[in-house]
Amino acid sequence: MRIQHNMAAVNCSTNFGINGKKAADSAEKLSSGYRINRAADDAAGLTITEKMRWQIRGLNRAAQNIEEGVCLVKVADGALEEVHSMLQRMGELAVQGANDTNTKADRQAIQDEINQIKSEINRISKETDYNGIPLFKPTTMPQLSGSPWDVRIYHEDLPGGGVRAAGIVYSGRRYSYEELKLPVDLNDNIISGKHIVQVENDLGELISIPLIFDGGTRVPSGREYELDPNKEGVRIDGILHEWGKMKNERGEFMNVDHISAGTYSFMHAGMTVSFEVRDGTDLGSLQDELRKDGLSDYTLRSEIIPDPVQPINPAISFKDTKVPVTIDIQDFIPGSHYDNINQYSIEGYGMRTSEQGIWLYIKNPLGGTTDLTLNTWEELGLAEWMDGTDKKPNVNPDVTTEFGEDAPGAEKVYTYVDRDFTGFQINFKVDNEVSHGELRSAIEAWQIDCNTSNRMDFQIANGGASPVNIRVGSHSPNLDAYGTQYDMGRNMSGQMVLTANQHVAVNGEAISFTMTDANGAAYTMQADNVSNTVTSQVENAVTSYISRFANSLSYGYGADSSFSNLITLYSQDANGYSVDFAYDFDLSSLNLTRDMFIATTNPVTNRTTYTWNPASDARIAAAKAAVINNIVSSLRDVTVTSVSTDNGPPTASLEVRSPLTTLNTRYSSLSIEAGREIKIQSGALGKQYIKLELPSMNSSILRVGGVDVSTHESASAALLNIYYGIEYVSRMRSGYGATQNRMEHAIAVNEVTAENTQSAESLLRDTDYADEVVIYAKHQILTQAGQAILAQSYRSGESVLNLLQ
């Protein structure tokens, strides 16, 4: 028995303390509800559960974020729903405006409503926002209108016929696809994608521009533009548009030291670029806003017009060239045959081309053609079409090259002048897009009609019978007879000489007439089978008269019995002179009466109509023969008494038949791809977000900014743009709807994930009361037992004292 160390009491005290601590821990867990109250309770568990707590709170907040994003989408979709309605109304108005039953005032009223719709679309674009965030328009995003012409396509002729795109025209210069090193596929089409090419701008600077190809074609679908704002102005393709030269809607130039609020604009390559400036904006802020829209970068892109055409139509006029100043222009207007309107006209002027240039030719009425004059390709400034290697427009004093902000840089007006005889001046406009073959086809399709009142009148007598008026027109493709053409505009009485026998010669069924021109050359004109010709003409006239008489009986229409015809005599030496014997005759001698027709009454309408009764043919045969004999006799008994050109000043009118249009590439108004987006934080970790696209929208982007219903053609073209706008808004709304559905799913996922994570965190951190109560009771019992044992251990010293007694 030892008394120095009461080990029983020490052990009892130790265990008593341990049990007391464990009972206290268990009591803490039962009172707090958490299994882990401090890191010492479960270090690893604490780390895991704290991470779970962070995820749970983040997911709950993210769900609220997504709810706010859904609200934003609903605001955008509500505004677009109204834009959809307005575009549908605009389409209805365009269909109405395309109808040519509208007057000019009607179309203006329709246009006024369309303009108001466009203004409201732009207002919605500018003012629709969510919590201050613009939904459809970046802060200073430009609006665009017009049709850019800076990039166009030129054609080349294919060996087997036809044409194809060969390259681009930029700033009046041609660049072949081979020169630009654009990649092609096996079909020789440009591979799809955005290709950067180097060209020279109007300043001669080498710049890079992006061309966009969709594949399967040699024509770019568009190009992208980059706005480069700086302290001097805005550069596009290296061309500077100075701030101080930009005007606002009030016509005021921009003052860079104090910029007034308003909408400023400038022109570039046929398009108008406009942008808004808020009150209080300085130049530095304006540059920043034009560089970015506050959310992301934007680009400008042109769109191709489907199936465009570019006409190559000439304008014809007369010009006094290389002749004495005393000669009138009218001296160069030849005449030809009678046209039933008391005028003479020449048909058959045409154009043909060769490797040398363009020829003017004239047709001979008796067959064949004669070339008049040649203008070479070099003289016309069209040498570049010969070999396709000259990239710069040729310099030629006869060629007007149109440059400027409102005209394509490569478009030129060419003038063909017949420098020798006829005085024709032919102007046509063409640009570098056209291939050599297209140009030649266009020129060879031109047929020139020349109508002139310039003529000679012959006064005649015919032995006391009703006079037959004779008029003569003269023209010759033979240049040796130019003297006669020259004198056509003068008093011909002293220049045109009749033969000694001034009677019309009769030889069987032929009649002829002879005259001598100013050069002393005699020309004989002749018409064969006069009786047969007159008989045929009278037969046709009788048929027409009978039909008109029947109509007069049936419907009360007039039945004029007067008719006119002519017989043309052509010069026998094929030089193109002609004499027209015009004669008038009256068929009232046929004595048509009602009983010569068959009457038929319609039982429904009770209307009686009359048709010719063939049994009446015999009754008019003698009268018809008398008419024919009278005309033939009059023609055979003609004596020419004098000739005169006293018909007033000669005049001429010209038109071109069969103008050609070529398939060239044009581009419409530009669209803006803003690339704007906002990110909705949808998770508890970094880079966990839903990207919400915010497409830009205004009248320019929807391609309805230039909708015009002033004509049927413009209204019809507007329908395509309005349809594009409806499709664009539909895509926007569809995108918003899909995103909203996605975000609602994301909300549900976040809520479920947070719930399941909370359950997992509870398993790790919360107290299991059933187990913990058992543990607590155990430690309570052990503590009470320890107290009793500890009390007994203190009495062990009493035994030692008993031994000492």
Side-chain angles (χ1 to χ4, degrees):
M1 181 178 294
R2 298 175 176 80
I3 63 172
Q4 186 66 31
H5 294 88
N6 188 353
M7 295 309 298
V10 171
N11 288 334
C12 181
S13 177
T14 299
N15 287 320
F16 179 79
I18 292 173
N19 284 326
K21 182 177 179 301
K22 289 184 177 180
D25 289 344
S26 183
E28 182 181 19
K29 292 176 182 177
L30 289 172
S31 61
S32 68
Y34 289 113
R35 184 181 69 85
I36 303 174
N37 289 288
R38 58 187 58 84
D41 292 341
D42 186 349
L46 178 70
T47 301
I48 295 172
T49 56
E50 286 298 331
K51 182 168 62 176
M52 287 183 174
R53 283 186 173 185
W54 173 51
Q55 184 178 8
I56 293 165
R57 296 183 65 173
L59 288 172
N60 290 332
R61 178 63 256 184
Q64 295 180 40
N65 291 348
I66 300 172
E67 287 281 7
E68 294 175 5
V70 170
C71 293
L72 183 150
V73 168
K74 289 180 179 179
V75 171
D77 185 58
L80 290 176
E81 183 179 4
E82 290 304 313
V83 174
H84 245 158
S85 298
M86 287 186 284
L87 289 174
Q88 295 288 0
R89 174 57 178 164
M90 188 181 291
E92 181 183 3
L93 291 170
V95 172
Q96 180 182 358
N99 196 1
D100 280 339
T101 59
N102 293 299
T103 64
K104 184 177 181 180
D106 295 335
R107 281 192 163 121
Q108 184 57 51
I110 296 171
Q111 186 66 49
D112 290 342
E113 183 174 351
I114 288 176
N115 291 341
Q116 289 299 320
I117 292 175
K118 290 190 289 187
S119 296
E120 180 58 19
I121 290 175
N122 287 332
R123 189 195 67 80
I124 291 174
S125 167
K126 291 186 291 186
E127 298 182 7
T128 304
D129 65 58
Y130 179 83
N131 194 30
I133 300 173
L135 299 185
F136 304 128
K137 180 179 180 295
T139 309
T140 319
M141 186 181 71
Q143 296 190 51
L144 305 167
S145 61
S147 298
W149 44 255
D150 50 347
V151 171
R152 294 174 297 154
I153 312 303
Y154 77 88
H155 294 164
E156 64 182 357
D157 302 309
L158 295 174
V163 297
R164 71 169 183 175
I168 68 170
V169 179
Y170 187 88
S171 187
R173 293 189 56 179
R174 288 186 177 188
Y175 298 88
S176 69
Y177 290 142
E178 291 77 11
E179 179 183 358
L180 296 175
K181 297 181 173 59
L182 291 182
V184 297
D185 57 21
L186 296 178
N187 295 320
D188 215 21
N189 293 318
I190 309 300
I191 295 175
S192 62
K194 182 166 67 175
H195 305 291
I196 308 299
V197 299
Q198 288 192 327
V199 293
E200 287 185 6
N201 62 15
D202 289 343
L203 304 177
E205 301 169 338
L206 192 64
I207 62 172
S208 296
I209 63 172
L211 297 179
I212 302 168
F213 288 84
D214 295 335
T217 178
R218 292 175 64 86
V219 178
S221 61
R223 62 154 298 191
E224 291 184 351
Y225 297 82
E226 180 181 353
L227 274 69
D228 179 21
N230 54 48
K231 63 180 181 179
E232 297 176 335
V234 178
R235 286 187 183 274
I236 303 179
D237 293 347
I239 305 299
L240 176 65
H241 302 278
E242 299 178 19
W243 299 115
K245 294 182 179 180
M246 299 181 189
K247 290 183 179 181
N248 59 21
E249 71 276 15
R250 299 181 296 276
E252 303 167 344
F253 288 101
M254 180 184 293
N255 183 349
V256 295
D257 297 324
H258 181 73
I259 303 176
S260 301
T263 301
Y264 292 84
S265 62
F266 62 90
M267 292 285 298
H268 178 83
M271 62 182 176
T272 301
V273 183
S274 59
F275 54 90
E276 293 182 12
V277 177
R278 299 186 308 276
D279 196 18
T281 302
D282 58 23
L283 185 59
S285 300
L286 178 59
Q287 295 176 53
D288 292 338
E289 290 178 354
L290 279 176
R291 289 192 185 100
K292 287 197 172 185
D293 58 23
L295 297 175
S296 61
D297 295 331
Y298 60 83
T299 57
L300 317 180
R301 173 171 173 160
S302 61
E303 302 292 338
I304 192 172
I305 298 176
D307 300 325
V309 294
Q310 171 67 19
I312 308 176
N313 299 338
I316 309 297
S317 61
F318 283 102
K319 184 176 183 180
D320 188 3
T321 59
K322 294 187 178 180
V323 294
V325 294
T326 57
I327 305 301
D328 293 330
I329 294 176
Q330 288 82 359
D331 295 336
F332 296 88
I333 306 175
S336 182
H337 63 271
Y338 181 75
D339 64 1
N340 268 342
I341 317 178
N342 294 326
Q343 291 185 347
Y344 285 82
S345 64
I346 172 62
E347 290 187 346
Y349 280 110
M351 310 285 284
R352 74 173 183 86
T353 63
S354 67
E355 292 303 316
Q356 290 76 36
I358 304 175
W359 290 85
L360 176 70
Y361 69 84
I362 194 167
K363 289 183 178 179
N364 188 321
L366 298 183
T369 62
T370 302
D371 289 328
L372 295 182
T373 54
L374 167 69
N375 278 193
T376 66
W377 299 117
E378 289 76 11
E379 289 175 329
L380 295 171
L382 288 167
E384 67 238 43
W385 270 269
M386 295 304 297
D387 53 21
T389 58
D390 186 3
K391 299 184 183 65
K392 294 183 179 179
N394 286 344
V395 178
N396 187 301
D398 292 334
V399 177
T400 301
T401 303
E402 297 183 0
F403 287 99
E405 292 184 331
D406 295 326
E411 192 172 63
K412 293 178 284 186
V413 178
Y414 296 94
T415 301
Y416 173 101
V417 179
D418 181 2
R419 293 183 170 88
D420 295 326
F421 301 106
T422 66
F424 276 123
Q425 177 171 292
I426 304 170
N427 299 304
F428 56 94
K429 183 182 292 186
V430 69
D431 56 41
N432 279 342
E433 295 181 35
V434 180
S435 73
H436 181 55
E438 282 181 304
L439 178 63
R440 292 184 62 173
S441 297
I443 293 171
E444 292 175 356
W446 297 339
Q447 181 73 34
I448 304 168
D449 294 334
C450 174
N451 299 316
T452 175
S453 61
N454 189 8
R455 64 184 186 273
M456 292 181 289
D457 285 343
F458 283 74
Q459 299 300 317
I460 66 164
N462 61 343
S466 299
V468 178
N469 292 324
I470 302 174
R471 300 183 182 90
V472 62
S474 178
H475 125 266
S476 174
N478 189 330
L479 301 184
D480 292 337
Y482 174 67
T484 304
Q485 294 185 19
Y486 177 95
D487 291 327
M488 281 291 292
R490 300 296 182 184
N491 183 353
M492 298 299 295
S493 298
Q495 301 293 334
M496 187 64 70
V497 181
L498 303 176
T499 58
N501 180 7
Q502 296 182 357
H503 292 274
V504 172
V506 179
N507 182 12
E509 285 302 313
I511 60 174
S512 60
F513 176 77
T514 303
M515 64 179 178
T516 304
D517 70 10
N519 295 328
Y523 294 92
T524 298
M525 279 65 66
Q526 180 171 311
D528 299 325
N529 298 318
V530 173
S531 294
N532 290 345
T533 301
V534 171
T535 298
S536 175
Q537 293 174 348
V538 172
E539 292 282 0
N540 292 334
V542 169
T543 300
S544 175
Y545 179 46
I546 289 174
S547 175
R548 292 165 63 183
F549 195 90
N551 286 335
S552 71
L553 296 176
S554 301
Y555 308 106
Y557 298 161
D560 188 357
S561 61
S562 299
F563 286 83
S564 297
N565 263 306
L566 58 85
I567 289 181
T568 300
L569 283 66
Y570 292 105
S571 56
Q572 296 303 293
D573 55 3
N575 277 312
Y577 286 101
S578 63
V579 175
D580 293 328
F581 288 84
Y583 56 90
D584 302 326
F585 58 98
D586 194 325
L587 295 181
S588 59
S589 60
L590 297 179
N591 295 320
L592 298 181
T593 57
R594 188 185 300 271
D595 64 330
M596 301 172 70
F597 296 83
I598 300 173
T600 305
T601 302
N602 188 319
V604 177
T605 63
N606 200 30
R607 176 183 292 278
T608 301
T609 57
Y610 294 85
T611 57
W612 177 248
N613 187 352
S616 303
D617 287 346
R619 292 178 55 180
I620 65 168
K624 183 165 55 176
V627 172
I628 295 172
N629 182 65
N630 182 52
I631 295 173
V632 173
S633 297
S634 297
L635 290 172
R636 290 175 173 173
D637 195 23
V638 169
T639 300
V640 179
T641 60
S642 64
V643 61
S644 172
T645 58
D646 188 14
N647 302 306
T651 60
S653 63
L654 294 167
E655 62 177 315
V656 177
R657 293 181 292 174
S658 303
L660 185 88
T661 57
T662 68
L663 291 179
N664 287 336
T665 302
R666 293 291 185 269
Y667 292 88
S668 68
S669 299
L670 287 80
S671 62
I672 302 177
E673 296 179 351
R676 302 175 62 231
E677 65 182 27
I678 60 176
K679 298 178 177 65
I680 305 296
Q681 183 65 28
S682 58
L685 299 176
K687 298 185 181 297
Q688 290 184 344
Y689 60 85
I690 295 175
K691 185 171 65 174
L692 177 57
E693 297 285 348
L694 296 181
S696 302
M697 186 279 300
N698 57 30
S699 61
S700 174
I701 295 172
L702 300 182
R703 299 187 186 176
V704 296
V707 168
D708 174 27
V709 295
S710 60
T711 65
H712 168 78
E713 290 73 17
S714 63
S716 297
L719 288 171
L720 293 176
N721 290 337
I722 295 171
Y723 179 77
Y724 173 86
I726 292 173
E727 288 291 301
Y728 186 94
V729 174
S730 297
R731 290 194 300 270
M732 289 179 69
R733 295 188 65 188
S734 176
Y736 279 132
T739 303
Q740 179 177 340
N741 290 336
R742 176 190 176 185
M743 288 193 294
E744 288 175 349
H745 288 303
I747 292 172
V749 169
N750 278 9
E751 291 174 346
V752 169
T753 302
E755 180 182 346
N756 292 333
T757 305
Q758 184 71 64
S759 176
E761 192 262 353
S762 176
L763 288 175
L764 290 174
R765 197 154 189 170
D766 290 357
T767 299
D768 187 336
Y769 268 77
D771 291 343
E772 199 62 44
V773 167
V774 172
I775 295 172
Y776 180 73
K778 180 186 73 172
H779 290 300
Q780 283 283 72
I781 294 170
L782 290 174
T783 299
Q784 293 176 9
Q787 287 176 343
I789 298 302
L790 185 60
Q792 292 296 324
S793 65
Y794 290 156
R795 295 175 183 172
S796 61
E798 296 177 359
S799 299
V800 175
L801 292 176
N802 290 333
L803 291 174
L804 295 175
Q805 291 177 353

